[in-house]
Amino acid sequence: MIGLISATAAGAAARDRLAAAWPDRTRVYDGPVGDAVRRAFAECEQLVCFLATGAVVRLVAPLLDGKTADPGVVCVDEGGRYAVSLLGGHAGGANDLAREVGAVLGAEPVVTTATDAVGIAGLDTLGLPVEGAVAAVSRALLDGEPVALRAEVAWPLPPLPVAEDGPYAIRVTDRAVEPAEREVLLRPPTLVVGVGASKGAPAEEVLGLIEEALREAGLSPRSVAELATVDAKAEEPGIVGAAARLGVPLVTYGAEELARVEVPNPSDAPLAAVGTPSVAEAAALLGGGELLVPKRKSAARPAMATCAVVRRPGRGRLAVVGLGPGARDLLTPRARAELERASVLVGLDQYVDQIRDLLRPGTRILESGLGAEEERARTAVAEAREGRAVALIGSGDAGVYAMASPALAEASDDIDVVGVPGVTAALAAGAILGAPLGHDHVSISLSDLHTPWEVIERRVRAAAEADIVVTFYNPRSRGRDWQLPKALAILAGHRDPATPVGVVRNASRPDESSRLTTLGALDPATVDMMTVVTVGNTATREIAGRMVTPRGYRWQEEPR
């Protein structure tokens, strides 16, 4: 919950705007400001104070407990110009909150955390438990001192300016080790603990068995990703309680599924009880990995719990990112986040140039020219299979005439794939023209480099006969100058020459141009590969200089 505190009418107005935007996330604290801050500080994960930063500093200073315990605090000035991340920038989420508040109120987020200021990923923002000399190693990264990355287990990390060796180190490990003086430990969630239990097994017995197994194997509880068991034990209190105490999810599988897993220690007892010869080992091994701790029983007599521990390999991550039509403000926040997260960027050279300034220091860039789409897809998937965080970029939406389909055709289920939607050229052009896509519409590429012209022509003819608005991608190039006239002729066989046509070149970019014409008047020679052409249907009209395709609402047909 985010506590909101204000002292003046102007502050209260901004406070109420934020409360209206986030009704389920915020709580307004009224009354004397000092009392309100104290109550919110004790009850909320974050605070937004519509007060001067000096006042907030004096109010929260006596309340401070520690970096990991204090809430994140953001201050918004009286004029609503700035949203200042004051306290708990990383641990309390104040840096991100300042950006969110700024987006809602139109305020400039002010973030002074050193790593954020220079674009280096904060070690405490990687989503992994972190131990050791975080401040010292972060300072070394900022100062350009050699910091070694020692990955004992593979895990997809964002780019970090690290070296092969150095006096400082970042160690990625699931081992129960103590950090050295100049070392940070990152704990990736690589361990899966399979658990079996008799009915009524106490949570203390299940938890004690797990902790003992991890301790004797030299493994860190902070790297446990989940507990796994059979469906029949999904609500067993001892197992549910152990998962809650460890702070990890409980995952369950059907007995038939577990029975198909080869295990070193099958038993007749679980087969008779729940229908599989193994619960703990099979549940842990089902997703693959290395069995580090074979099935073991608890020390109680009789033993009521079993467990096994598996290390699953770190899965690479491939984000297929749509950059939008070109304008920076049409690049989505999700796309920005994926660009910052990726340690490897793969893309067409001209698209890389569009977003190069958004990449974190240390990002490895693999760029190539036109015509290498399949090679880029293979490269991106191969990098992800090495356990890296990869972003494969394309213009518009990556799933529309772009990189998503070749990448997903290449990828298998051994990597995680994330699709990041983007604003397409058709949508950007449509917004410029008016509302040409207000009813059913279709996009058709006129490039026959990958699709035979016979197939393209059949699709154009079907759209023409169905009276669907058509947007043509890749309409004309120097080597392909006859396809657009042919497609327009097909449409002209079903639509009036006065049918509105919108032509937009470089939609949303600085040299954007657009015009409205008609199906009969359009000169194909004025169109090139940077242009999209939208041809209306029989209902499309030009209204006040805008291209509009009505949806056909009944009220539009009623007399006024």
Side-chain angles (χ1 to χ4, degrees), residues 30-90:
D30 292 318
V33 170
D35 292 341
V37 169
R38 282 189 288 273
R39 285 187 288 122
F41 202 91
E43 297 171 0
C44 296
E45 292 82 18
Q46 296 174 321
L47 280 69
V48 179
C49 299
F50 296 84
L51 306 164
T53 54
V56 178
V57 167
R58 287 189 291 272
L59 288 169
V60 303
L63 309 176
L64 299 182
D65 183 35
K67 183 175 181 179
T68 59
D70 295 332
V73 178
V74 170
C75 294
V76 178
D77 67 290
E78 185 77 3
R81 298 168 300 168
Y82 304 105
V84 182
S85 174
L86 182 69
L87 178 69
H90 284 167

Side-chain angles (χ1 to χ4, degrees), residues 105-346:
L105 300 181
E108 180 71 23
V110 178
V111 176
T112 58
T113 307
T115 50
D116 289 61
V118 299
I120 294 176
L123 298 177
D124 52 355
T125 67
L126 303 181
L128 303 177
V130 58
E131 305 169 22
V134 176
V137 174
S138 296
R139 187 165 54 249
L141 290 171
L142 291 166
D143 291 343
E145 297 188 47
V147 177
L149 177 63
R150 299 176 181 136
E152 296 178 2
V153 291
W155 198 259
L157 296 174
L160 294 166
V162 293
E164 291 186 5
D165 200 6
Y168 298 87
I170 300 168
R171 186 176 175 188
V172 186
T173 182
D174 55 16
R175 294 286 178 184
V177 294
E178 293 296 323
E181 182 181 356
R182 294 183 173 184
E183 183 178 59
V184 164
L185 300 183
L186 296 178
R187 302 291 193 185
T190 55
L191 304 177
V192 177
V193 180
V195 180
S198 302
K199 185 176 181 179
E204 291 76 12
E205 181 175 343
V206 178
L207 183 62
L209 172 63
I210 294 170
E211 291 176 338
E212 180 184 31
L214 294 171
R215 183 171 56 253
E216 292 186 4
L219 300 171
S220 172
R222 302 191 76 184
S223 281
V224 175
E226 62 190 40
L227 297 193
T229 191
V230 66
D231 284 346
K233 297 295 179 180
E235 297 181 4
E236 184 63 43
I239 296 177
V240 173
R245 298 266 285 275
L246 287 169
V248 299
L250 175 63
V251 178
T252 65
Y253 302 102
E256 292 184 2
E257 194 174 9
L258 295 180
R260 291 192 292 268
V261 179
E262 291 188 12
V263 297
N265 301 291
S267 172
D268 292 335
L271 180 61
V274 294
T276 173
S278 173
V279 173
E281 286 181 339
L285 284 166
L286 189 59
E290 177 188 4
L291 183 62
L292 302 180
V293 180
K295 183 182 74 173
R296 59 186 296 167
K297 297 180 180 180
S298 55
R301 293 293 181 267
M304 300 184 72
T306 60
C307 82
V309 183
V310 163
R311 176 186 287 139
R312 287 184 182 169
R315 290 169 62 89
R317 188 175 191 275
L318 174 61
V320 188
V321 181
L323 300 179
R328 181 57 61 85
D329 60 353
L330 292 181
L331 178 69
T332 67
R334 189 179 300 180
R336 282 176 176 263
E338 290 295 345
L339 295 176
E340 293 177 355
R341 177 173 182 165
S343 61
V344 180
L345 182 84
V346 182

Side-chain angles (χ1 to χ4, degrees), residues 432-435 500 514-517 541-548:
I432 294 164
L433 295 169
S514 65
R515 68 183 190 277
L516 275 182
T517 181
R541 299 287 182 269
E542 181 181 340
I543 302 175
R546 303 179 185 93
M547 185 176 177
V548 180

Side-chain angles (χ1 to χ4, degrees), residues 492 496-499 501 517-523:
D496 190 275
T499 300
V501 174
T517 181
T518 64
L519 185 57
L522 175 62
D523 179 4

